[in-house]
Amino acid sequence: GTIYMTNFTPFRPYHVDPSYYCAARNEFTIDEWVDILLAGIDYNPKGFRDISQKLTLLSRILPFIEPRLNLIELAPKATGKSYVYSQLSKYGWLVSGGSVSRARLFYDIGRKEVGLISRYDYVALDEIQTIVFPKAEEVQGALKGYLENGEYRVGDYRGVGQAGFILLGNIRQTRMDEDSNMFGELPSSFQESALIDRFHGFIPGWQIPRIRENMKVYGWALNVEYLTEMFHAMRDDLRYRQTTEHLLSVPGQADRRDTEAVKRICTAYLKLLFPNAVSPSEISRHDFQRFCFEPALRMRGTIRRQLHLMDAEYSEHMPHITVAD
């Protein structure tokens, strides 16, 4: 009367082909492609007011496609933060409140096991105001090193990872102002400017509408598992970063972290919105400026303003990075 499983084949009736996916992008306008991406992650494009709202939501999936992209998002409740990071990709992990130790994030000395950072494409801490770090200084120390260069040390163990690190928190409507100290909403462990400086960009989640019935996708769309497999496959393609490097003009005195943040976010948007642009000649300067560079500059610019409000040693102004002629 006992049943035994003797074999198991995961349901995955396809093999992703990035070259075909990238070539297919040529058949669509940017507005059509944005709607395809939204439908692919289970959102109805018609539920959004304009393309600006759509792009703000899509900024949540930038860490899916670009290694070690670190973001902070503050948003009202019921805007879908948890859903995006917990339900779409098997390559990411969402921690929802509770206690988070250095061993869980980085390395467990007793078990000799690597933590979440070395096992996933991204790790998101949800309900950040409710998360407790048993030994906050240990987590802070490991985070600073990891967010800076992708390496961490726990005891004698030296680890590496490619996971983006994302902080998700709720924010009161009265605090939704990028020119006021919004990061006062973060727990004390993240109130240090040197740590915040290592995050690349900020997502203003209040620009994303609350989840309504008309935001649920219906009809034909790309399979979400197919799409997130494609994002995972594109993470290590260096051609997009080379394209970004060619298209940006960076002054010599520019802050290194500001420059790296803008380049990393630009590269992520390029992969997401223009996967066919594997060389500078395959994207117009106008499209790169509007859909890659300007959003990247805004996202890092908010981090820069918040740093200035936290610590006057930090300038509130971004370096004069431009799109090259």
Side-chain angles (χ1 to χ4, degrees):
T2 303
I3 298 174
Y4 295 93
M5 179 184 289
T6 59
N7 192 20
F8 172 73
T9 302
F11 177 71
R12 184 184 173 187
Y14 50 76
H15 297 281
V16 296
D17 181 357
S19 61
Y20 176 81
Y21 173 83
C22 295
R25 170 63 180 88
N26 291 312
E27 306 301 318
F28 301 94
T29 67
I30 181 62
D31 293 300
E32 291 170 338
W33 188 251
V34 165
D35 288 354
I36 286 171
L37 292 174
L38 285 169
I41 60 173
D42 296 338
Y43 283 90
N44 179 9
K46 294 182 179 179
F48 293 82
R49 182 183 66 244
D50 52 31
I51 194 169
S52 177
Q53 274 193 347
K54 295 175 182 179
L55 291 174
T56 303
L57 189 141
L58 288 177
S59 64
R60 287 176 171 170
I61 61 175
L62 296 178
F64 290 36
I65 202 168
E66 175 68 10
R68 290 182 43 234
L69 182 56
N70 310 315
L71 302 175
I72 298 174
E73 178 179 352
L74 297 177
K77 297 177 181 178
T79 54
K81 300 187 299 296
S82 304
Y83 173 77
V84 167
Y85 293 108
S86 66
Q87 300 298 316
L88 298 184
S89 176
K90 65 185 179 184
Y91 295 107
W93 191 267
L94 180 78
V95 179
S96 298
S99 178
V100 180
S101 65
R102 183 180 65 176
R104 186 181 182 193
L105 280 178
F106 295 102
Y107 183 74
D108 190 318
I109 296 176
R111 296 182 178 182
K112 299 187 184 308
E113 292 179 350
V114 296
L116 300 172
I117 289 293
S118 293
R119 289 158 41 202
Y120 290 97
D121 286 355
Y122 65 83
V123 176
L125 303 189
D126 196 15
E127 304 288 349
I128 188 64
Q129 291 94 335
T130 68
I131 284 181
V132 177
F133 300 104
K135 295 183 179 179
E137 67 283 355
E138 289 185 352
V139 176
Q140 274 187 326
L143 263 180
K144 282 181 183 178
Y146 177 74
L147 297 180
E148 183 72 19
N149 54 35
E151 299 181 356
Y152 59 88
R153 292 185 180 275
V154 177
D156 294 331
Y157 181 82
R158 174 184 172 275
V160 296
Q162 290 296 308
F165 195 74
I166 304 133
L167 302 183
L168 304 171
N170 296 323
I171 186 171
R172 294 167 289 173
Q173 188 160 359
T174 55
R175 300 296 299 274
M176 298 178 192
D177 181 2
E178 297 179 21
D179 294 317
S180 66
N181 185 8
M182 296 183 299
F183 290 178
E185 299 285 309
L186 299 176
S188 58
S189 301
F190 290 95
Q191 292 291 327
E192 185 183 356
S193 57
L195 183 58
I196 292 296
D197 195 19
R198 288 162 164 81
F199 283 86
H200 299 118
F202 177 81
I203 301 174
W206 56 83
Q207 295 180 7
I208 298 170
R210 290 172 64 89
I211 303 301
R212 306 180 302 269
E213 284 299 316
N214 69 342
M215 293 182 70
K216 297 178 181 177
V217 70
Y218 60 89
W220 291 95
L222 287 178
N223 176 279
V224 67
E225 186 182 8
Y226 168 84
L227 194 58
T228 54
E229 283 283 350
M230 190 63 68
F231 293 161
H232 176 73
M234 295 174 66
R235 284 171 66 85
D236 295 327
D237 192 327
L238 298 179
R239 293 176 297 173
Y240 298 97
R241 177 60 182 248
Q242 292 169 353
T243 297
T244 294
E245 296 271 3
H246 182 87
L247 291 174
L248 289 181
S249 176
V250 180
Q253 72 275 18
D255 181 271
R256 181 180 58 82
R257 286 179 183 157
D258 288 336
T259 302
E260 178 59 26
V262 170
K263 288 181 177 180
R264 200 173 286 266
I265 297 172
C266 276
T267 303
Y269 271 117
L270 192 65
K271 291 179 183 178
L272 185 67
L273 302 178
F274 302 95
N276 53 330
V278 294
S279 69
S281 62
E282 293 174 297
I283 183 173
S284 71
R285 297 298 195 272
H286 174 269
D287 282 346
F288 183 79
Q289 170 97 22
R290 180 183 175 190
F291 295 105
C292 303
F293 174 66
E294 291 178 359
L297 205 62
R298 284 195 299 270
M299 290 174 71
R300 177 59 186 181
T302 301
I303 296 289
R304 171 58 60 185
R305 287 195 295 277
Q306 292 298 304
L307 281 170
H308 177 69
L309 292 169
M310 295 172 67
D311 186 342
E313 285 190 21
Y314 288 87
S315 168
E316 63 179 316
H317 302 294
M318 287 289 291
H320 188 60
I321 303 171
T322 59
V323 176
D325 296 330

